[in-house]
Amino acid sequence: MKLRADQSGLRGLPMPLWLQGAVESFQAVAISAFGVLVPIAAVWLTGGFGSLAVDQAARLGGQAWLVIHGVPLRLSGAGMASDGGAAPASSILEFVPLGFALIPFFLSWRAGRRLARASYADTLWQGLVGAAALYSLAGFATAFVCSTPDVSAGVGVSAGIPLIPVVLGLVVGARREAGSWARLIGVEAVDWISRTGQYSRWAGSYVWAVIRAGFVSAVAALGLSAALLAVDLAARWADIATVYEALGSGGVGGAALTFAQLGYAPNLAVWTLGWSSGAGVSLGVGSSASALATAVGPLPPIPVLAAIPTSSVPVASAALVLPVVAGVFGGWWFQRAGEDHFDEWLAIKVPARWFTASVSALVVGALVGLVGGALCAGAAWLAGGSAGIGRFTQLGPNPLWTLVWVGAETAIGAVIGYALAPWLERGQLSRADDVAAKA
């Protein structure tokens, strides 16, 4: 297949799709590895790692590359735990910086778009397989080369787990470039839906609208939590600066530490959601923080952790309204989507409008809350983990409690948004009619 320069990077050079996929994947591996190695190399060159040899620094970079892809590392060795007790014979480091995990996803998204431009619907799989195989090989090789007696990673999981963000990025990018599943893989959902009955199509439209409304609620909840996190960081900036000064890490070390904390910024936003919803956030064994009750033990000297409230705040319970507001957005969006076929069916069966409207609102609230809570629970699962040190083997919100708390609060908000949406839309239409009349 003869590719254009903007597709393969090599003008006029014939390249089979599987090889182009491997080349695209190699670029993603190289760029993501470069982003990890540069700050580590900067700290090493300035003596931040003491007498660490160059090969050990390189292995540290490989281990960090595996961590950002979600690969768990086994930490071995005797010593003392951070709380003064004996350290276990081995522990697991499984704490993914979600900000850095987006790097392989977006690089693969770019690769998926380029592969879709270079292939037909029945040949795209060749490029995707080539890209996935090369990335899997890179994970296998990194684990094999960079494992040490103290820090090791399984070659099997290192070959498989990195494929999760990579394959997802490839498929999403290819779908974005193709514009439809029919052009991507030769299958169009519209054709299949057209062969179903009218009631099935209405039910499917209703369920799809509920899922999207739940997604809107989850995104709004995370967005509001990120805003609350930003306000908290600004309010406690003096405490954060004090920790930086106490560490005395210098310019390069401070910049590298800040860079690492930025990688965990999405994790902290999810933690903030767990705190504000009342589900709570675990900060190690025996330590938790939430808007309702807080009991936090000693924390490691990481600057951003100075923003965590270490005691209950009287006005903290007001933060419980954030998931409710997020649910209002979801309920309002569902009403605007115009796919409330359950309410239409119920109105035909039962003439009492006050009853059907109430039941429809409650059903929508429950379903939107379930979807939004499940999505936030998934985010809580991704944002938590184990630092593998002392009592810090339990970090982040509990996914089950996140589902319960965020789901319930989002459901309440969705009912409110569903009920208010007609009045809001009526007000917007009235203003539009007034403007048209004056014109």
Side-chain angles (χ1 to χ4, degrees):
M1 178 180 294
K2 193 178 181 71
L3 303 175
R4 300 192 305 271
D6 65 331
Q7 294 174 335
S8 66
L10 301 173
R11 184 180 297 275
L13 179 64
M15 183 182 296
L17 277 176
W18 67 266
L19 181 57
Q20 183 184 353
V23 170
E24 296 286 352
S25 189
F26 177 79
Q27 294 177 8
V29 171
I31 294 173
S32 60
F34 180 80
V36 171
L37 290 174
V38 166
I40 293 178
V43 174
W44 179 77
L45 290 173
T46 55
F49 292 131
S51 59
L52 193 68
V54 61
D55 60 324
Q56 294 174 321
R59 288 192 178 94
L60 178 61
Q63 293 161 3
W65 186 86
L66 292 174
V67 168
I68 71 171
H69 286 80
V71 177
L73 301 181
R74 179 173 295 278
L75 310 180
S76 304
M80 298 295 291
S82 60
D83 56 1
S90 64
S91 57
I92 300 296
L93 170 60
E94 193 175 13
F95 190 30
V96 184
L98 297 180
F100 294 151
L102 292 176
I103 296 176
F105 172 81
F106 282 115
L107 292 173
S108 300
W109 176 82
R110 170 182 174 271
R113 295 195 63 177
R114 291 162 66 91
L115 290 173
R117 287 199 299 266
S119 62
Y120 298 101
D122 58 346
T123 60
L124 176 64
W125 66 271
Q126 300 175 21
L128 298 182
V129 169
L134 191 283
Y135 218 99
S136 179
L137 180 62
F140 177 92
T142 302
F144 182 79
V145 173
C146 297
S147 292
T148 66
D150 295 328
V151 182
S152 61
V155 292
V157 295
S158 299
I161 292 180
L163 291 182
I164 297 175
V166 169
V167 171
L168 182 62
L170 288 170
V171 173
V172 172
R175 170 61 176 80
R176 174 66 178 82
E177 182 64 29
S180 68
W181 290 110
R183 295 179 59 190
L184 182 64
I185 58 176
V187 176
E188 181 57 73
V190 174
D191 296 335
W192 176 79
I193 293 175
S194 63
R195 293 193 294 270
T196 62
Q198 184 64 50
Y199 287 109
S200 299
R201 290 198 293 271
W202 281 343
S205 300
Y206 180 84
V207 172
W208 181 233
V210 165
I211 293 174
R212 288 182 291 170
F215 177 79
V216 170
S217 298
V219 171
L222 292 172
L224 292 172
S225 299
L228 178 61
L229 174 63
V231 171
D232 183 56
L233 292 175
R236 298 176 179 268
W237 180 249
D239 297 334
I240 296 174
T242 300
V243 178
Y244 269 110
E245 293 175 358
L247 289 174
S249 54
V252 174
L257 181 58
T258 302
F259 181 71
Q261 292 175 102
L262 289 175
Y264 283 102
N267 301 63
L268 295 176
V270 179
W271 288 20
T272 305
L273 175 60
W275 179 87
S276 64
S277 65
V281 180
S282 176
L283 301 171
V285 178
S287 293
S288 64
S290 77
L292 299 177
T294 297
V296 178
L299 297 174
I302 299 176
V304 72
L305 297 182
I308 295 177
T310 56
S311 60
S312 299
V313 182
V315 298
S317 58
L320 294 172
V321 76
L322 292 184
V324 178
V325 174
V328 171
F329 283 107
W332 172 70
W333 187 94
F334 178 85
Q335 188 70 273
R336 283 181 58 89
E339 299 289 352
D340 195 2
H341 301 298
F342 174 74
D343 181 64
E344 297 170 357
W345 175 83
L346 196 63
I348 296 174
K349 300 296 182 179
V350 181
R353 183 56 186 158
W354 63 270
F355 175 79
T356 59
S358 301
V359 172
S360 299
L362 292 175
V363 170
V364 167
L367 294 177
V368 171
L370 178 62
V371 174
L375 292 175
C376 291
W381 178 72
L382 292 174
S386 167
I389 302 174
R391 62 185 182 85
F392 300 107
T393 55
Q394 295 180 7
L395 297 173
N398 183 288
L400 179 59
W401 284 116
T402 302
L403 170 62
V404 173
W405 281 87
V406 176
E409 293 160 348
T410 302
I412 295 172
V415 172
I416 297 173
Y418 179 89
L420 293 179
W423 299 94
L424 295 175
E425 296 298 322
R426 187 178 297 114
Q428 293 178 359
L429 291 174
S430 299
R431 288 193 295 271
D433 293 339
D434 293 342
V435 172
K438 292 178 181 179

